[in-house]
């Protein structure tokens, strides 16, 4: 049998094996370094977008001093990025921490974390399609979590609601609580209630919106609130002619194609606002 050798006289197969082993070792070391704080260009872009998402949602009155938005890690799907505990409108890149799917920070350096981080960890654990999550206490959706009136798509911008909007009842799981998702068990129950839907309401507390990207999750969180406001207004006028499920599906697909348009505008507005 003919054995190929490289320029150093080492058999070809052994040489390739050695080279691959060296590549794997380098990748492992760089991944370990990444986890210990050295951030890649992709990480930096995600973090920059996550900071923008915090400011956009604050500017759009979806988040106030409370609520949070996260993004799944680009290369390590069992990790996600979320700010330390601080008001969303004040978040900077230095506040963004890396978390694992148990909801614990990889290295918080003594900084406090959000009590409700388990919303994010448990949804990422169960929904591989989800790359970003917004948890909000925005006011217009609250009435739809505490009454039997379902939140439904009233106009094309909220077509994604046509998939249905489940309501999470924390009392069924834990009796009397302070309403917060303070542990992995409550996070898991909430993720289960969300199922495969793009949004859910939390009775007497708030809502969540998920997406396959930060722009999509931010878009959904904003239009969830707008739809709730419009639906409450329309209910005062009479019975509502909602989008059919076919219309809702087509509108949602159309909106997803043009997501960069509002995202670029929102980013531009907050950049202008932050530099003023
Ligand atoms: Zn909350």
């Amino acid at each position: 049998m003919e054995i190929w050798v490289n320029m150093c006289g080492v058999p070809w197969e052994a040489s390739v094996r050695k080279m691959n082993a060296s590549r794997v070792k380098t990748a492992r070391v760089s991944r370990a370094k990444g986890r210990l704080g050295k951030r890649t260009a992709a990480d930096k872009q995600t973090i920059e977008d996550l900071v923008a998402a915090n400011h956009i949602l604050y500017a759009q009155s979806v988040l106030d001093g409370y609520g949070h938005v996260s993004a799944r890690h680009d290369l390590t799907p069992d990790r996600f990025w979320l700010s330390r505990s601080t008001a969303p409108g004040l978040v900077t890149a230095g506040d963004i921490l890396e978390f694992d799917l148990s909801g614990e920070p990889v290295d918080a350096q003594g900084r406090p974390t959000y009590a409700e981080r388990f919303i994010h960890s448990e949804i990422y654990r169960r929904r591989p399609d989800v790359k970003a999550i917004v948890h909000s206490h925005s006011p217009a959706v609250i009435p739809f979590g505490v009454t039997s009136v379902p939140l439904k798509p009233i106009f094309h911008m909220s077509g994604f609601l046509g998939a249905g909007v489940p309501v999470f009842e924390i009392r069924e799981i834990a009796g009397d609580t302070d309403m917060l998702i303070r542990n992995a068990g409550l996070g898991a129950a909430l993720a289960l209630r969300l199922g495969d839907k793009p949004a859910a309401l939390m009775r007497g507390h708030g809502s969540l919106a998920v997406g396959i990207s930060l722009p999509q999750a931010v878009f959904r969180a904003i239009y969830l609130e707008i739809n709730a406001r419009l639906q409450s207004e329309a209910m005062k006028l009479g019975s509502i002619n909602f989008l059919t499920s076919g219309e809702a599906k087509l509108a949602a697909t159309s909106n997803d194609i043009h997501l960069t348009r509002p995202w670029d505008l929102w980013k531009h507005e907050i950049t202008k606002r932050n530099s003023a």
Side-chain angles (χ1 to χ4, degrees):
M1 188 179 77
E2 191 183 3
I3 297 176
W4 288 25
V5 294
N6 68 7
M7 286 170 74
C8 306
V10 177
W12 186 256
E13 197 192 335
S15 164
V16 168
R17 227 183 356 244
K18 196 174 165 194
M19 205 159 65
N20 282 346
S22 157
R23 278 193 190 134
V24 168
K25 193 176 167 194
T26 308
R28 277 192 192 135
V29 168
S30 64
R31 208 157 44 227
K33 276 185 182 166
R35 287 180 177 187
L36 290 174
K38 191 179 174 193
R39 291 169 175 180
T40 65
D43 291 342
K44 284 179 185 160
Q45 184 59 55
T46 308
I47 289 167
E48 185 190 307
D49 284 344
L50 186 55
V51 171
N54 273 274
H55 295 184
I56 289 166
L57 290 163
Y58 172 63
Q60 295 286 326
S61 303
V62 171
L63 302 181
D64 50 15
Y66 300 96
H68 18 87
V69 49
S70 69
R72 196 193 286 270
H73 199 289
D74 298 285
L75 302 174
T76 317
D78 60 351
R79 299 284 172 94
F80 65 95
W81 303 105
L82 177 68
S83 170
R84 72 179 175 92
S85 179
T86 191
L90 301 177
V91 166
T92 66
D95 295 317
I96 305 295
L97 304 176
E98 192 176 355
F99 289 79
D100 63 26
L101 295 190
S102 69
E104 294 309 323
V106 175
D107 180 13
Q109 297 175 347
R111 289 174 291 179
T113 52
Y114 291 126
E116 294 195 286
R117 58 194 182 277
F118 304 102
I119 294 173
H120 304 265
S121 56
E122 293 302 318
I123 292 173
Y124 286 128
R125 190 193 289 274
R126 283 165 182 77
R127 289 278 302 269
D129 60 310
V130 168
K131 301 287 189 281
I133 301 169
V134 179
H135 166 55
S136 154
H137 307 146
S138 64
V141 302
I142 300 296
F144 296 91
V146 299
T147 62
S148 58
V149 179
L151 190 66
K152 291 163 73 172
I154 196 166
F155 72 152
H156 67 301
M157 298 305 289
S158 50
F160 65 96
L161 297 179
V165 188
V167 179
F168 176 67
E169 173 53 89
I170 193 170
R171 205 184 291 142
E172 282 174 7
I173 316 293
D176 286 348
T177 63
D178 64 359
M179 310 302 285
L180 302 186
I181 307 299
R182 286 190 178 276
N183 57 54
L186 287 172
L190 175 60
L192 220 59
R193 190 76 187 102
L194 171 70
D196 62 355
K197 303 292 189 280
L201 306 186
M202 301 154 77
R203 194 266 309 162
H205 178 171
S207 61
L208 54 94
V210 303
I212 58 166
S213 65
L214 266 171
Q216 192 187 52
V218 166
F219 175 96
R220 287 173 169 176
I222 290 171
Y223 282 102
L224 182 73
E225 174 70 4
I226 293 174
N227 190 93
R229 200 159 61 229
L230 293 176
Q231 189 174 334
S232 290
E233 283 302 310
M235 281 163 59
K236 293 177 200 162
L237 302 177
S239 63
I240 303 174
N241 187 3
F242 290 104
L243 267 62
T244 64
S245 66
E247 288 170 337
K249 206 176 282 181
L250 289 168
T253 304
S254 171
N255 290 333
D256 284 344
I257 293 167
H258 303 291
L259 270 179
T260 52
R261 195 192 301 173
W263 174 254
D264 288 346
L265 171 68
W266 293 328
K267 265 184 98 166
H268 174 73
E269 282 176 345
I270 54 119
T271 306
K272 217 165 62 181
R273 189 166 155 157
N274 290 344
S275 59

